[in-house]
Amino acid sequence: MESSPITTTHIALVSVPAFSHQVSILEFAKRLLHLHADTFHVTCIIPTLSSSPSKHSFFFDSLPHNIHCIFLPSVNFHDLNNNGVSVEIQTQLSASRAMSSVRETLVSLSKTTDISALVADAMAPEALEFGKELNILSYIYFPCSTMVLSVCFHSQNLDEEVSCEYKDHPGLIHLPGCIPISGRDLPDSMQDRGSLAYKLFLQRCQRYLNGHDGILVNSFMELEEEATKAISQHGNGGDYPHVYSVGPITQSGPSGSKSRCECLLWLDKQEPNSVLYVSFGSGGTLSQDQIDELALGLELSKQKFLWVNLRAPNDRASATYFSEGGLVDDDDPLHFLPKGFLERTKEQGLVMCGWAPQVEVLGHRSIGAFLSHCGWNSVLESVVHGVPMIAWPLFAEQRSNAALVSDGLKVALRAKMKKPSVVVKEDIVKLIKGLMEGLEGQEIRRKVKELKKLANSAIMEDGSSTRTIANLANKWKNKHT
C-alpha cells in the first residue's frame, strides 16, 4: 500500500522595516522548519524603507528553500526620517503605512494556497485583522522579553494608577512575577505620556490583549519562570491571551563571510576568556564625550578588548538604526577617537567601524565578557553562549532588559551615568575589572553558565520551548484537516 504524500502547511509572517526584528521572526521560522522538516512552507512579508541597507542580503540569501521572502515596495518615510522621531514611532508608523500592501499580498497568497496561520511582528499588530478576514489563525511574534510583555499587558492599569511621568515616580513599579523596576527603566515609548509614541504604545498594547490566537514570545520558561507563570494565571481567567515561550531564538547559519574575518583572526591569538567584546548593536551610537570616556576607560583597564560597529559620534543614541550612516571620513574613519588612542592600544585591543559576526564572536573561546546595549537579541546570544555582560542600554526597551539582566538574573553589571548622559572612564575601569577579575564577576560568571545550560535544555528534543513549538505546529497542521 502506497503511503500518502506529505501535506505542506503554509504559514505567513509579517515583519517590519528593522533588521533585528526580521532576523528574530525568520530565525523562529528556521527553528520551526528544523523541528518539522518538509511539512511547512513559510512566506515572510517584509515592508521596506528607501534607506534599507543592502548589507544584510547575505542573511536572506542563506535562508532555507522553504522560506520565501516578499519585500514590499518602500513606504513613504521622508516626513519621519532624521527628524528626531523615536525608533518606536518610525518602526510602527512605517509598518502601518505598509498595511494596504500587506493585505494585498496576503489576499493574493490565499488565492493560491491554504494559509494555516499568520504571525505578525509585535510592531505590526494591525496585520492580525487580515487573519480574521481570511479566517486563519493569527498570532503576534513578540521579539522581546516576557517582562517587557508583562509591562505591555499592564500598561493600561499603570496609566490609571500612576499620576506623574514614570521617570518621576518615587517608588518602584511592581508587576506580577517580575522584578520591581524603576519608572526610568520602562521602555522609551512610556517616558513622555503626552507624546505620540505613548499614544501609539497604548494602542499597540491593547491589540496585544485582543483579537488573536496567542503571542509567541522570544524567551524561555526557565529564564523568566515567575513572569511566565503570572501571565499564564491571568490568561487562565480570560484576561490575557495565551503566551507561547518559543525561545531562545538567536541568529544561526552563515555569518556572511566565507573566510574568517579580521576580528576572529585577532581573537584566535588571544588567551581564553581574556577579551572584553564591546558592541552597541547594529544601530546604536554614542556622543563624542561618551566615545572619549569609553575609549580612555578601555585603555586604562589594561584589559584586552574588541570594539566593533563603532560609528561617528551622534547625540541621538538611535541615529543610525535605519541606515548605514555614521562614517564621515573614508580616509580616516576612526578619526573621532581620542588622539593617540589607537597607537597606544594597538597591542591591547582591536577597533572596527564595520560589521562583526556577533554569534561567532560570543562563541569564541577568548571572549570573557560582553559590554552590550542590551538589545534582546544580544542578551539572548550572550546567555546562550554563557558570556557575562556589562549592561549599557541606549534606547527602546533596552533599559528594561538591563534591569532584568543585572537586578533580576544577576548575570550583568550595569553602567551608571554620573555626568549627564555619560559614563565616566573611572567607572568604566571599575566595571571592566569587576567583571573580568573581581569576586563579583566570578559569581556572575557562575550564574550565566547555569543559564547557558538552561537555554540549551529549552531547545533540546524534549525541552520546554521545543514542546511549545511542537504544540503550535500540530495546531497549524490540523487547521485544514
Side-chain angles (χ1 to χ4, degrees), residues 27 33 184 227 253 480:
E27 287 292 348
L33 295 175
R184 292 185 301 275
H480 293 298

Side-chain angles (χ1 to χ4, degrees), residues 24 54 59 63 67 73 123 150 175 197 200 209 213 227 245 255-256 274 280 292 308 344 357 410 457 481:
S24 190
S54 60
F59 174 77
L63 291 171
I67 297 180
M123 297 297 284
S150 185
L175 301 171
L200 291 174
L209 291 168
D213 295 287
S245 297
S255 66
S274 65
F280 292 95
D292 292 344
V308 306
R344 294 192 303 271
K410 299 188 184 303
S457 295
T481 59

Side-chain angles (χ1 to χ4, degrees), residues 25 36 61 79 146 174 209 312 320 388 426 437 455 459 475:
I25 200 167
H36 301 273
D61 292 342
D79 59 323
T146 306
H174 293 268
L209 291 168
T320 61
E426 293 84 2
E437 301 173 3
I459 58 174
K475 185 176 295 188

Side-chain angles (χ1 to χ4, degrees), residues 191-222:
Q191 294 304 324
D192 180 356
R193 297 173 73 174
S195 67
L196 174 60
Y198 187 60
K199 178 182 178 182
L200 291 174
F201 173 77
L202 290 179
Q203 290 175 352
R204 194 164 69 242
C205 292
Q206 192 59 45
R207 283 193 169 105
Y208 295 165
L209 291 168
N210 301 313
H212 53 79
D213 295 287
I215 297 181
L216 284 53
V217 61
N218 188 12
S219 189
F220 55 101
M221 169 64 77
E222 296 83 352

Side-chain angles (χ1 to χ4, degrees), residues 150-198:
S150 185
V151 171
C152 294
F153 281 173
H154 288 87
S155 60
Q156 192 61 53
N157 290 339
L158 290 175
D159 186 61
E160 295 169 1
E161 293 168 2
V162 178
S163 58
C164 60
E165 291 287 354
Y166 292 113
K167 62 190 175 195
D168 299 324
H169 187 57
L172 296 174
I173 305 292
H174 293 268
L175 301 171
C178 300
I179 59 165
I181 185 172
S182 165
R184 292 185 301 275
D185 286 334
L186 292 173
D188 277 2
S189 296
M190 302 178 72
Q191 294 304 324
D192 180 356
R193 297 173 73 174
S195 67
L196 174 60
Y198 187 60

Side-chain angles (χ1 to χ4, degrees), residues 50-171:
S50 57
S51 60
S52 293
S54 60
K55 63 180 178 179
H56 301 303
S57 59
F58 71 86
F59 174 77
F60 299 102
D61 292 342
S62 69
L63 291 171
H65 68 90
N66 40 2
I67 297 180
H68 175 56
C69 292
I70 298 175
F71 294 92
L72 301 179
S74 297
V75 297
N76 185 343
F77 200 64
H78 299 302
D79 59 323
L80 298 179
N81 206 12
N82 299 320
N83 213 12
V85 180
S86 73
V87 162
E88 292 89 342
I89 290 180
Q90 292 182 59
T91 304
Q92 185 168 347
L93 290 185
S94 58
S96 296
R97 292 174 183 187
M99 280 301 122
S100 60
S101 294
V102 169
R103 181 187 178 279
E104 183 180 324
T105 305
L106 282 170
V107 169
S108 177
L109 274 174
S110 68
K111 291 177 179 177
T112 58
T113 184
D114 284 331
I115 303 173
S116 292
L118 170 67
V119 182
D121 185 275
M123 297 297 284
E126 302 101 311
L128 299 181
E129 294 297 320
F130 311 139
K132 284 187 199 174
E133 182 182 337
L134 298 171
N135 192 30
I136 55 179
L137 297 170
S138 302
Y139 300 81
I140 287 171
Y141 180 80
F142 196 78
C144 306
S145 68
T146 306
M147 184 179 84
V148 171
L149 181 59
S150 185
V151 171
C152 294
F153 281 173
H154 288 87
S155 60
Q156 192 61 53
N157 290 339
L158 290 175
D159 186 61
E160 295 169 1
E161 293 168 2
V162 178
S163 58
C164 60
E165 291 287 354
Y166 292 113
K167 62 190 175 195
D168 299 324
H169 187 57

Side-chain angles (χ1 to χ4, degrees), residues 216-434:
L216 284 53
V217 61
N218 188 12
S219 189
F220 55 101
M221 169 64 77
E222 296 83 352
L223 185 72
E224 299 185 86
E225 186 170 3
E226 294 305 316
T228 306
K229 285 180 178 177
I231 286 176
S232 297
Q233 287 167 1
H234 274 274
N236 291 336
D239 296 332
Y240 295 161
H242 194 95
V243 172
Y244 300 86
S245 297
V246 297
I249 302 294
T250 57
Q251 192 166 347
S252 60
S255 66
S257 174
K258 292 182 179 179
S259 60
R260 288 175 70 76
C261 71
E262 177 189 8
C263 63
L264 293 176
L265 294 173
W266 183 82
L267 287 172
D268 288 342
K269 301 173 185 176
Q270 311 308 318
E271 294 295 321
N273 302 313
S274 65
V275 177
L276 173 69
Y277 172 53
V278 181
S279 175
F280 292 95
S282 58
T285 50
L286 303 176
S287 67
Q288 182 65 68
D289 285 348
Q290 188 60 85
I291 287 176
D292 292 344
E293 292 291 326
L294 178 52
L296 295 175
L298 290 169
E299 180 181 354
L300 291 170
S301 76
K302 306 298 182 184
Q303 195 74 50
K304 294 275 189 175
F305 65 87
L306 169 63
W307 189 357
V308 306
N309 287 326
L310 179 57
R311 298 170 184 83
N314 195 300
D315 289 338
R316 280 183 58 220
S318 60
T320 61
Y321 188 74
F322 288 106
S323 71
E324 297 187 64
L327 299 180
V328 294
D329 187 341
D330 290 335
D331 294 328
D332 185 10
L334 298 173
H335 69 280
F336 48 81
L337 288 169
K339 187 175 180 179
F341 169 75
L342 291 174
E343 179 65 25
R344 294 192 303 271
T345 60
K346 63 182 180 180
E347 302 299 327
Q348 181 187 350
L350 175 65
V351 182
M352 296 171 53
C353 58
W355 167 91
Q358 181 159 293
V359 172
E360 288 94 326
V361 168
L362 287 171
H364 198 285
R365 62 177 179 81
S366 69
I367 294 297
F370 180 14
L371 193 160
S372 172
H373 65 307
C374 288
W376 190 242
N377 287 347
S378 290
V379 168
L380 287 180
E381 287 165 2
S382 206
V383 166
V384 165
H385 290 286
V387 179
M389 288 169 272
I390 292 174
W392 191 313
L394 296 179
F395 58 89
E397 88 294 349
Q398 293 166 12
R399 283 188 295 275
S400 302
N401 297 339
L404 175 60
V405 296
S406 58
D407 300 334
L409 301 174
K410 299 188 184 303
V411 293
L413 296 178
R414 184 166 179 181
K416 304 290 184 183
M417 294 180 177
K418 280 192 176 175
K419 295 181 182 178
S421 302
V422 174
V423 185
V424 297
K425 59 183 179 293
E426 293 84 2
D427 287 346
I428 293 168
V429 172
K430 289 178 185 176
L431 282 168
I432 295 171
K433 288 187 173 293

